[in-house]
Structure formats: C-alpha cells, structure tokens
Amino acid sequence: MVDILLATYNGEKYLREQLESLSAQTYRNFRILVRDDGSRDSTMHILREFQLHHAGMMEIIEDDAGGGNPAANFIELMKHATADYVMFCDQDDRWYPAKIQTMLQRIQAEFSDYQVTDSGLRPMPVNESHLQVARAYRNFSHLLVQNYVTGCTMMINKTACQMAGDYDSRILMHDWWIALYVSAMGEIIHMPVKLMDYRQHENNDVGARDVMSAKYRVEKIFDRKVRTSKDTYYAQAALLKERFYSLMPEESRRTLDRFLALPGYPKLKRIREAIDGGFVKSDAIRTAGFLFYL
C-alpha cells in the first residue's frame, strides 16, 4: 500500500491533469491523501469531483491545523499517512504511468529524476548539468547546506514518514528536512530514471532553475537572503539536533556538532572547517559565495 500526499493551494489550472495521471498509474494499491491550504479558486470543487468519480481512491483531510506554506501543508499531511510507503505529489506536475510501480521495486528513502517541461508540458531545452539537483549528493554534510532531493520525486518508508514530527518554522522545506534526518540515520537511494513531468510556470514555489546561468548568479549577488542563508541552515540543523541527536550514529553526531560549531570560529577558521567538513555547495562558484558570507 502507498499513500500519495497531495498538498494543494489555488491549483485549478493544472490539478485535473495531475489527478488524471495519478488515476492512470499501473500500480493500483494506493490512496491519495489531500490537504488544501485555503484555496480561493475551484481547487476544492475539482478535488470533490474527482473523489466522487473515483470511489475509495482519495481522502480529503479537513482540519484547523493551519498551514501557510508547502512545507507546513505536507508535514501536516504526513501525520495522516498509514501506508508502508509514502510519496509526495505537487498539484501542477504529471506523473508517468509506471512511477509508483517503478519506485516500489527499489525503495528505502528514494528519489528519482524528472523531465523539465514548460506550462504546456512540452520538454524544455534545459542543460540538466546546470540544475541545482544535477548532482545527487546524498551525504549528510552536503545536505546540511544544500538540498538535493525534490519532494515530488521521493518515496519514503513508514518509519521515515513518522519521524518528521510537527512543523517548525526552522524547517526550510519538507523534502530537505526529510533528506536530512534520513541521511543522518539511514540511507537515501537515487534512481536516475525520469518518472514525471516537472512543470515550470509563473507560480512555481521552487522550480528547476539553471544555477549556472549568468542571470541566476546576478540575482543571487543582489539577493539579501543569500547573505543570511547560513543562519537558516544553522537553525534547521539545531532543530535536527534537538529532535534526533540521541538516535544518530556517532559519525552523524560528529558531523552535526562540527557544523553547528562553525559560528563560534573566526572567519578564516570557519572557512577551513567548512571545506574540511564537506559543508559545501554543488559547484565551485556557489561554494565560493557561500563561504564569502559564512
């Protein structure tokens, strides 16, 4: 049994197509758990219509737990998952028919790849080596400073799902949070197979960005958030220590302690410790920018 978690918000434009792709999966023993975060368009109507015509396939979670962002919505959804395996679904993509079946054949905490498309699901001429997730780093030290796992490509087991805990504002994104504690205490597997269309449009929360382009570099130079991003990494790591330190193997504890000790060092020692500890980004230029503001 697989639970597919679908977090929705004003998704009327593409939601039907995504739901159709879920109903067309070759593996049939699944349930769609949906939680809407206060949509003001026809999203709820589309969901109820689908639920009516696909008896037993969808359960709509209605509560007063709040939300406000995708991470909070997904983490709240995780509390309702009871299946042996759990997947995460964005409202605006399209899954290939064998996505669930293919990932079930090789599962621990696993993520696959995606085909980048435009809003009409036409493949985009994207240099995949320039994407943020082009290098599928799965080690704990890399994940402390950069996320390499896209939520909609993930399948996790029940244990990993139950460990997520309550949403906390220090959690930067649900997929990053999951990748962190799984890499610290378990294993992440990357399956380099494209199993979905990753739709790019004007309202993407994250999206597939060309992180090697001049435009992206210039944006980051003038983005004030970049200058303080390290503080959000430290905060997320501190939450990780609060919740999981006693469960971590010794090696992961040492890595986490070494990372959290960085702010207490002089600038040059911080840089040396970050490099020696493997707390670096996916390419030399991004790493240099990170170290500059470290």
Side-chain angles (χ1 to χ4, degrees):
M1 179 69 175
V2 175
D3 278 339
I4 300 173
L5 309 186
L6 173 58
T8 60
Y9 177 70
N10 290 345
E12 65 179 7
K13 189 171 185 179
Y14 305 116
L15 181 57
R16 280 193 175 91
E17 192 166 9
Q18 175 66 300
L19 292 173
E20 289 171 4
S21 77
L22 297 182
S23 67
Q25 290 295 300
T26 55
Y27 179 84
R28 306 303 297 172
N29 190 20
F30 69 87
R31 173 181 63 160
I32 305 169
L33 292 176
V34 187
R35 185 174 183 273
D36 187 71
D37 199 9
S39 292
R40 296 183 298 275
D41 62 3
S42 63
T43 292
M44 285 303 300
H45 171 75
I46 294 169
L47 293 173
R48 295 196 190 285
E49 183 181 60
F50 180 89
Q51 186 181 42
L52 180 65
H53 291 94
H54 297 81
M57 185 177 287
M58 174 185 286
E59 179 180 341
I60 299 174
I61 308 299
E62 298 186 72
D63 56 37
D64 55 0
N69 60 66
N73 200 354
F74 274 115
I75 287 176
E76 197 61 39
L77 264 172
M78 291 170 75
K79 297 177 182 178
H80 298 273
T82 58
D84 292 333
Y85 301 106
V86 177
M87 302 178 76
F88 300 81
C89 181
D90 290 346
Q91 64 187 6
D92 49 4
D93 298 327
R94 181 177 65 183
W95 287 17
Y96 299 166
K99 179 175 169 71
I100 302 176
Q101 184 174 357
T102 302
M103 296 191 74
L104 267 176
Q105 293 171 356
R106 187 183 175 193
I107 167 65
Q108 285 186 36
E110 176 172 307
F111 65 105
S112 60
D113 286 341
Y114 50 69
Q115 171 66 55
V116 180
T117 70
D118 63 15
S119 61
L121 294 179
R122 295 175 291 268
M124 294 174 64
V126 175
N127 186 335
E128 294 186 4
S129 66
H130 288 192
L131 297 177
Q132 176 168 316
V133 296
R135 298 183 182 183
Y137 288 116
R138 293 164 285 164
N139 55 307
F140 187 39
S141 58
H142 272 94
L143 283 163
L144 282 165
V145 297
Q146 185 176 341
N147 186 24
Y148 296 87
V149 180
T150 304
C152 55
T153 68
M154 292 169 53
M155 174 182 280
I156 62 176
N157 60 30
K158 182 187 291 187
T159 300
C161 182
Q162 293 173 339
M163 292 180 72
D166 292 332
Y167 175 70
D168 186 292
S169 60
R170 289 172 287 179
I171 295 174
L172 297 176
M173 205 60 180
H174 63 285
D175 47 16
W176 195 347
W177 177 243
I178 295 166
L180 273 172
Y181 64 73
V182 170
S183 66
M185 295 176 285
E187 182 181 5
I188 297 175
I189 299 171
H190 175 228
M191 186 168 58
V193 180
K194 292 181 173 64
L195 295 175
M196 56 170 284
D197 288 328
Y198 190 37
R199 194 193 304 259
Q200 302 301 292
H201 54 87
E202 65 277 5
N203 295 319
N204 283 109
D205 279 305
V206 180
R209 300 292 303 278
D210 183 346
V211 299
M212 306 290 279
S213 68
K215 179 182 178 182
Y216 180 86
R217 305 290 195 198
V218 171
E219 286 177 0
K220 289 301 178 182
I221 289 174
F222 293 100
D223 186 353
R224 291 184 176 274
K225 292 181 180 179
V226 173
R227 305 176 190 182
T228 59
S229 61
K230 65 181 186 305
D231 299 324
T232 65
Y233 305 159
Y234 293 142
Q236 184 168 243
L239 179 63
L240 196 73
K241 183 169 183 174
E242 290 173 20
R243 292 190 179 179
F244 300 115
Y245 196 72
S246 64
L247 303 175
M248 290 183 184
E250 186 59 34
E251 182 179 356
S252 294
R253 289 187 192 184
R254 287 197 299 268
T255 299
L256 184 57
D257 287 340
R258 188 174 187 179
F259 179 69
L260 288 172
L262 290 179
Y265 299 138
K267 178 75 171 184
L268 291 180
K269 185 174 181 180
R270 282 203 303 275
I271 293 174
R272 287 196 302 269
E273 283 290 309
I275 295 171
D276 290 344
F279 310 123
V280 292
K281 299 274 190 173
S282 57
D283 63 86
I285 295 178
R286 299 189 84 203
T287 294
F290 170 63
L291 296 176
F292 180 79
Y293 291 117
L294 186 65

